[in-house]
């Protein structure tokens, strides 16, 4: 089996519990499977998101460099479209059978959605802490270090405001994260809970209990030697793990410093942080020794250095590896009496517990050990059996095999990568003959049912919400001339603010002048498509009624020259409608495009919007051969010089395409929002796409809720049933 493991850190770069457990699990799985690890490092000397590969003990490892920005937003703490992109690339390369996630902090919570909905993969998740529901992960208030009750919006907002030092932190950010996590949970098939504490917490937070399995961590018990029942000459307390406040190392040092009698304390872990340095400065003496970091492969030497392990965490630890590692070596443990810690140690029987966070109680328990060190030799063997990594792996494999990989899945992204906003559907300065709104045949409908401009707040709301989830670009109205939208300059500023691109379709008239718009556009444009249907004024102006072809071509040249002068990488496309009127003009459009440095010529076959267009259709017995001949000539002209799109021969004898061998290039990828805020799921004319159903309005339901909702998911699963889908000329062969 090909198994991909996802974790926020991996030895030797990170040596905390979840990372060490994942390291041991990967090595055991690799004995009989192909194992791939996707994890992050943080090295500011390397380019952000740089990827590189390694192989260790038969495990293939993909490292992604990701360090925190200088001014992180709340979204940065759990969403990262660039990490999503790198994960997609690695899944496409590896083609795993299953994805097993250890932690998503510093990665992206959209990884389970991508694995499940885009690739159809079974997704399993080992729970290491409370992070899926607590933005800090440890369910403890940083203001007073008290354990939190179950998370709620008010409490989490207050916590975030204090933690990020932002008094104006808004509760809407917490609600957005809560809603998003529901979709993430929905895409995870199995949760492994190493403690009953976390098992109960996840059930209390609404996770289906049938998806959660109590599954203790596994350990390389064969590599840990049992200690003989003897003590060091001086009773030695030990700590091993991360040197951070919630691990309670300060509590341990304070309690130990007040002991009477002969005792030592050795502290193993990386203390190269402000908290660790303060402890070293305050407590280092002949009886307290900070040993520094260690690799999991050196575990035996660490265990041999003390007589009893102290685990003084002030948060509800899950199932600390260090406790079970010590128990495997026959070393007793003194630990806090809450959470998963108390599940592993039974006071006075196989170890000792003290009141969580109480330094006096900890000192009292330690003093009794100093006064009677022989007492720890009389403790029972651990009542909770330490599980071997082999037993753990066998259980994982059982669950992997129970879950089936979908043979075919319709890719459904966590959020749309592109949105088309119908900004100004009834504002245009032309009336092209094929237009479903402004042509002479359709203008009466326009008079009877005038549609206003889109409220700019609709665009602001959608972009600000979806940009952190992977929205890459927007398209302003493809109905009417988008530069006529009253808020177009604000739209450009919005793109810059959220670092997203604009994909623009314009008729090239540049209302108010090309000099006003060109440089502003080039700051945010990914591609601009200039609608043009002929280089000949006679042909072009009969189709694009009201256009001045000479001026249009001058404007396009100006834009191209400015783009090249400013060294912008955005592309320019000439876009035309394939019809009988301009069939023999297509060659001239391509020649002009090549001569002037255009990147692409794109076209679409005519969509019939009135009976007067019947003679213009090229998908007919009479016209298809004419189209095919011109199509061949166009490819010969363009060969090696320019890209052509949709210049494909027509074979009327081919059977009609169906959903078994085609796909929709938009479904699960793109979204349309109408001028009134209503959601649409297709680019076909407005009256046609309404037949797909009512998917709600942004004024009532957020874009993410609509995108991840049952109605849209059902539509994707049943794509192809609609008559409009069956006759669509934009479908693609699989």
């Amino acid at each position: 089996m090909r198994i991909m493991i996802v974790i926020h850190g991996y030895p030797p770069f990170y040596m905390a519990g979840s990372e060490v457990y994942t390291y041991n699990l990967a090595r055991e799985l690799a004995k009989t499977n192909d194992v791939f690890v996707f994890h992050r490092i943080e090295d500011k000397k390397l380019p952000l998101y740089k990827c590189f590969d390694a192989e260790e003990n038969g495990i293939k490892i993909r490292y992604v460099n990701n360090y925190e920005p200088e001014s992180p937003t709340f979204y940065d703490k759990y969403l990262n479209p660039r990490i999503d992109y790198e994960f997609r690339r690695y899944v496409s390369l590896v083609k795993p059978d299953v994805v097993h996630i250890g932690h998503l902090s510093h990665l992206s919570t959209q990884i389970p959605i991508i694995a499940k909905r885009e690739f159809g993969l079974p997704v399993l998740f080992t729970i290491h802490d409370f992070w899926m529901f607590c933005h800090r992960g440890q369910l403890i208030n940083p203001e007073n270090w008290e354990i939190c009750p179950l998370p709620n919006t008010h409490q989490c907002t207050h916590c975030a405001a204090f933690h990020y030092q932002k008094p104006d932190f808004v509760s809407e950010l917490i609600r957005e994260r809560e809603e998003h996590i529901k979709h993430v949970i929905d895409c995870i098939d199995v949760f492994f809970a190493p403690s009953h504490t976390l098992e109960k917490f996840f059930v209390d937070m609404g996770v289906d209990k049938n998806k959660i399995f109590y599954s203790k961590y596994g350990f390389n018990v064969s590599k840990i030697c049992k200690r003989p029942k003897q003590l060091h000459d001086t009773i030695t307390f030990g700590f091993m793990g991360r040197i951070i406040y919630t691990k309670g190392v300060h509590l341990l040092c304070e309690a130990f410093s007040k002991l009477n009698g002969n005792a030592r304390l050795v502290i193993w872990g990386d203390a190269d942080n402000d908290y660790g340095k303060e402890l070293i400065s305050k407590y280092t003496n002949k009886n307290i020794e900070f040993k520094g970091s260690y690799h999991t492969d050196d575990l035996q030497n660490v265990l041999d250095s003390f007589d009893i392990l102290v685990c003084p965490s002030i948060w509800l630890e899950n199932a600390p590896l260090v406790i079970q590692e010590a128990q495997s070596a026959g070393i007793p443990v003194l630990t806090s009496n809450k959470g998963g810690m108390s599940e592993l140690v039974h006071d006075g029987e196989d170890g000792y517990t003290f009141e969580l966070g109480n330094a006096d109680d900890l000192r009292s328990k330690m003093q009794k050990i100093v006064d009677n060190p022989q007492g720890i030799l009389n403790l029972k063997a651990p009542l909770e059996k330490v599980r071997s990594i082999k037993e753990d792996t066998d259980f994982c494999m059982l669950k992997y095999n129970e879950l089936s990989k979908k043979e075919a899945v319709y890719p459904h992204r966590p959020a749309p990568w592109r949105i088309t906003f119908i900004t100004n559907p009834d504002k245009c300065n032309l009336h092209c003959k094929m237009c479903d709104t402004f042509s002479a045949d359709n203008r009466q409908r326009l008079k009877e049912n005038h549609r206003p401009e889109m409220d700019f707040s609709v665009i602001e709301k959608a972009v600000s919400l979806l940009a952190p989830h992977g929205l890459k670009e927007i398209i302003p109205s493809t109905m009417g001339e988008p530069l006529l939208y009253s808020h177009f300059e604000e739209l450009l500023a919005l793109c810059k603010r959220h670092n997203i691109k604009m994909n623009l379709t314009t008729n090239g008239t540049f209302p108010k002048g090309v000099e006003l718009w060109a440089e502003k556009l080039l700051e945010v444009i990914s591609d601009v498509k200039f609608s043009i249907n002929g280089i000949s004024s006679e042909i072009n102006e009969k189709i694009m009624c009201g256009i001045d072809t000479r001026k249009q071509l001058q404007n396009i040249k100006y834009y191209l020259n400015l783009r090249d002068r400013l060294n912008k990488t955005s592309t320019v496309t000439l876009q035309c409608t394939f019809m009988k009127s301009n069939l023999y003009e297509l060659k001239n459009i391509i020649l002009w495009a090549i001569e002037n440095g255009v990147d692409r010529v794109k076209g679409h076959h005519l969509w019939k919007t009135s009976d007067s267009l019947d003679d213009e259709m090229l998908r007919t017995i009479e016209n298809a051969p004419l189209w095919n001949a011109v199509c061949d000539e166009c490819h010969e002209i363009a060969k090696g010089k320019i890209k052509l799109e949709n210049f494909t021969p027509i074979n009327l004898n081919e059977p009609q395409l169906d959903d078994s061998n085609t796909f929709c290039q938009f479904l699960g990828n793109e979204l349309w929002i109408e001028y009134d805020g209503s959601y649409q799921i297709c680019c076909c004319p407005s009256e046609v796409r309404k037949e797909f159903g009512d998917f709600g309005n942004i004024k009532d339901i957020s874009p993410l809720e609509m995108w991840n909702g049952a109605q849209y998911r059902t539509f994707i699963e049943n794509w192809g049933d609609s008559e409009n889908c069956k006759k669509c000329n934009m479908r693609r062969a699989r």
Side-chain angles (χ1 to χ4, degrees):
M1 181 176 284
R2 297 173 71 81
I3 303 165
M4 180 179 289
I5 294 176
V6 178
I7 186 72
H8 60 346
Y10 193 75
F13 299 96
Y14 306 92
M15 298 296 295
S18 58
E19 294 95 318
V20 170
Y21 166 72
T22 301
Y23 174 82
N24 291 330
L25 178 66
R27 294 179 74 175
E28 188 67 25
L29 285 168
K31 292 178 179 178
T32 54
N33 302 275
D34 294 322
V35 177
F36 306 84
V37 174
F38 179 87
H39 85 100
R40 79 78 162 83
I41 61 169
E42 45 186 341
D43 187 342
K44 292 190 175 181
K45 296 177 183 177
L46 296 174
L48 192 60
Y49 305 119
K50 178 178 175 59
C51 296
F52 55 98
D53 297 314
E55 185 166 345
E56 180 183 309
N57 300 305
I59 301 165
K60 294 180 173 61
I61 305 169
R62 168 65 59 93
Y63 305 90
V64 183
N65 190 35
N66 180 30
Y67 47 83
E68 194 170 89
E70 290 185 8
S71 301
T73 68
F74 185 69
Y75 292 118
D76 292 329
K77 296 294 183 178
Y78 68 100
L79 295 171
N80 193 323
R82 281 297 305 271
I83 293 292
D84 295 338
Y85 170 77
E86 296 301 340
F87 177 72
R88 285 187 186 96
R89 284 209 311 154
Y90 199 48
V91 172
S92 299
L93 174 68
V94 168
K95 296 179 172 55
D97 299 305
V98 64
V99 173
H100 188 159
I101 297 168
H103 213 296
L104 295 172
S105 174
H106 304 290
L107 290 171
S108 173
T109 47
Q110 298 198 139
I111 283 176
I113 301 176
I114 294 167
K116 172 61 64 177
R117 293 202 319 220
E118 294 188 36
F119 293 93
L121 296 170
V123 181
L124 302 94
F125 191 104
T126 296
I127 309 169
H128 293 292
D129 56 22
F130 305 95
W131 187 79
M132 291 291 278
F133 297 99
C134 167
H135 63 88
R136 296 191 64 250
Q138 296 182 320
L139 206 66
I140 189 168
N141 189 331
E143 191 169 7
N144 54 23
W145 301 109
E146 292 182 357
I147 303 296
C148 297
L150 288 181
N152 62 71
T153 303
H154 174 75
Q155 159 192 313
C156 295
T157 301
H158 181 78
C159 174
F162 177 83
H163 179 68
Y164 298 112
Q165 297 297 299
K166 293 183 178 179
D168 58 346
F169 189 92
V170 293
S171 59
E172 185 60 33
L173 292 173
I174 296 294
R175 282 193 288 269
E176 285 178 20
R177 188 183 191 276
E178 291 171 349
E179 185 63 34
H180 166 68
I181 291 298
K182 290 178 184 177
H183 303 312
V184 176
I185 297 294
D186 187 52
C187 290
I188 297 173
D189 300 290
V190 165
F191 289 93
F192 296 120
S195 70
H196 292 300
T197 297
L198 276 182
E199 179 185 26
K200 181 180 184 303
F201 173 80
F202 268 61
V203 171
D204 288 344
M205 292 304 296
V207 178
D208 183 355
K209 64 181 180 181
N210 296 313
K211 292 170 67 167
I212 306 177
F213 296 87
Y214 174 63
S215 179
K216 292 181 68 178
Y217 289 133
F219 296 84
N220 284 318
V221 291
S222 62
K223 293 187 177 182
I224 300 177
C225 298
K226 284 280 186 182
R227 283 265 299 278
K229 285 212 167 188
Q230 62 184 52
L231 304 174
H232 291 80
D233 293 338
T234 300
I235 188 71
T236 305
F237 297 91
F239 172 90
M240 45 196 256
R242 297 175 68 197
I243 312 294
I244 57 176
Y245 193 88
T246 51
K247 287 291 186 178
V249 189
H250 59 288
L251 207 71
L252 172 58
C253 290
E254 179 187 345
F256 182 85
S257 68
K258 296 177 181 178
L259 292 180
N260 298 314
N262 192 21
R264 292 176 61 240
L265 171 62
V266 294
I267 297 174
W268 292 89
D270 184 3
D272 188 21
N273 55 50
D274 291 342
Y275 174 71
K277 290 173 182 176
E278 183 178 345
L279 290 176
I280 292 172
S281 173
K282 185 175 181 179
Y283 290 109
T284 296
N285 56 47
K286 62 181 180 179
N287 292 326
I288 300 180
E289 184 178 354
F290 288 83
K291 293 282 194 177
S293 59
Y294 64 96
H295 192 285
T296 184
D297 292 343
D298 299 324
L299 179 60
Q300 188 65 55
N301 292 330
V302 175
L303 293 169
D304 288 341
S305 69
F306 50 78
D307 299 306
I308 182 167
L309 174 76
V310 186
C311 185
S313 293
I314 64 172
W315 70 289
L316 300 179
E317 286 255 27
N318 169 25
L321 268 66
V322 294
I323 291 180
Q324 295 165 89
E325 288 167 341
Q327 290 175 331
S328 297
I331 298 173
V333 177
L334 168 59
T335 187
S336 306
N337 65 345
K338 292 288 193 297
M341 297 173 286
S342 64
E343 296 178 30
L344 299 171
V345 179
H346 305 81
D347 191 40
E349 297 186 71
D350 58 359
Y352 305 100
T353 63
F354 71 96
E355 184 182 353
L356 183 143
N358 189 327
D360 290 336
D361 193 34
L362 174 58
R363 182 201 58 77
S364 175
K365 293 293 176 72
M366 294 174 74
Q367 187 65 60
K368 288 179 181 179
I369 294 169
V370 172
D371 293 343
N372 180 26
Q374 291 297 316
I376 65 176
L377 300 179
N378 299 325
L379 292 169
K380 296 177 182 178
L383 301 181
E384 303 295 329
K385 179 180 178 292
V386 177
R387 190 187 200 190
S388 73
I389 193 65
K390 175 67 166 57
E391 292 171 310
D392 188 354
T393 300
D394 288 345
F395 186 67
C396 287
M397 288 299 302
L398 176 67
K399 293 303 173 187
Y400 296 164
N401 287 312
E402 285 178 357
L403 300 169
S404 60
K405 176 182 177 181
K406 291 185 180 179
E407 290 302 317
V409 62
Y410 210 101
H412 182 188
R413 300 172 70 96
W417 81 272
R418 181 162 69 189
I419 298 181
T420 297
F421 293 100
I422 311 303
T423 52
N424 51 304
D426 288 358
K427 285 180 87 171
C428 194
N429 50 3
L430 301 180
H431 45 100
C432 304
K433 65 184 292 184
M434 62 287 192
C435 181
D436 69 340
T437 302
F438 302 100
S439 66
D441 292 323
N442 291 300
R443 291 176 79 180
Q444 184 59 37
R445 189 193 328 166
L446 179 62
K447 292 178 182 178
E448 295 171 355
N449 185 27
H450 179 74
R451 296 166 294 183
E453 286 191 333
M454 174 178 279
D455 187 328
F456 186 67
S457 65
V458 168
I459 304 176
E460 284 185 303
K461 179 179 180 179
V463 169
S464 61
L465 180 61
L466 293 175
H469 290 264
L471 178 67
K472 295 297 183 185
E473 70 177 34
I474 65 168
I475 299 177
S477 191
T478 55
M479 307 166 65
E481 168 51 50
L483 291 178
L484 291 173
Y485 180 46
S486 301
H487 303 282
F488 194 83
E489 290 197 66
E490 294 170 71
L491 193 58
L492 294 175
L494 185 69
C495 289
K496 288 180 67 175
R497 187 160 69 249
H498 290 280
N499 194 31
I500 61 173
K501 294 293 185 180
M502 177 185 290
N503 190 310
L504 178 67
T505 299
T506 175
N507 59 31
T509 58
F510 284 99
K512 299 182 182 178
V514 65
E515 297 83 2
L516 171 70
W517 291 116
E519 190 166 352
K520 294 178 181 180
L521 288 171
L522 283 164
E523 291 181 336
V524 300
I525 285 290
S526 59
D527 177 70
V528 57
K529 289 180 283 294
F530 290 106
S531 297
I532 187 168
N533 283 280
I535 302 304
S536 159
S537 297
E538 181 181 0
I539 294 173
N540 191 41
E541 291 169 17
K542 281 184 178 179
I543 297 172
M544 302 181 68
C545 303
I547 193 76
D548 180 341
T549 304
R550 182 187 62 82
K551 183 64 175 175
Q552 181 191 31
L553 294 175
Q554 285 179 349
N555 288 341
I556 298 172
K557 281 185 177 182
Y558 181 95
Y559 183 90
L560 284 162
N561 291 334
L562 183 62
R563 179 198 65 169
D564 296 341
R565 194 162 68 248
L566 296 176
N567 293 316
K568 297 293 184 179
T569 58
S570 57
T571 55
V572 172
T573 299
L574 298 188
Q575 180 166 277
C576 49
T577 302
F578 302 142
M579 60 179 76
K580 186 73 175 291
S581 294
N582 69 352
L583 179 60
Y584 297 104
E585 184 68 1
L586 297 177
K587 293 178 288 184
N588 292 329
I589 293 174
I590 295 169
L591 287 169
W592 189 93
I594 293 170
E595 180 183 348
N596 289 281
V598 173
D599 302 278
R600 178 178 65 155
V601 177
K602 177 182 180 181
H604 294 292
H605 281 280
L606 182 65
W607 189 293
K608 180 180 172 180
T609 59
S610 66
D611 292 340
S612 66
L613 296 174
D614 283 344
D615 292 339
E616 294 283 3
M617 309 291 287
L618 296 177
R619 293 180 180 274
T620 64
I621 294 175
E622 298 81 14
N623 292 336
L626 303 178
W627 159 258
N628 291 344
V630 169
C631 193
D632 288 342
E633 289 183 64
C634 288
H635 279 288
E636 191 62 33
I637 293 169
K639 194 172 183 179
K641 299 174 184 175
I642 196 170
K643 181 180 179 181
L644 299 186
E645 191 164 326
N646 298 330
F647 283 74
T648 306
I650 296 172
N651 184 351
L652 296 177
N653 296 319
E654 284 184 346
Q656 187 175 14
L657 296 174
D658 58 46
D659 64 327
S660 65
N661 62 3
T662 62
F663 73 99
C664 173
Q665 59 185 308
F666 306 114
L667 204 60
N669 281 298
E670 299 189 40
L671 179 65
W672 284 258
I673 300 182
E674 284 277 9
Y675 68 96
D676 61 358
S678 60
Y679 298 114
Q680 303 296 339
I681 59 172
C682 179
C683 65
C684 62
S686 298
E687 295 306 312
V688 176
R689 61 188 178 214
K690 287 178 181 176
E691 296 176 21
F692 293 135
D694 182 358
F695 288 85
N697 192 295
I698 194 171
K699 298 168 186 173
D700 306 311
I701 179 174
S702 78
L704 283 173
E705 191 176 350
M706 171 268 156
W707 189 260
N708 293 288
Q711 183 180 1
Y712 189 49
R713 293 204 313 270
T714 300
F715 186 87
I716 290 176
E717 290 169 4
N718 299 318
W719 178 80
D721 292 349
S722 165
E723 288 302 316
N724 287 320
C725 293
K726 291 176 182 178
K727 66 185 180 183
C728 177
N729 60 20
M730 301 183 86
R731 293 156 72 189
R732 295 286 183 268
R734 288 187 187 276

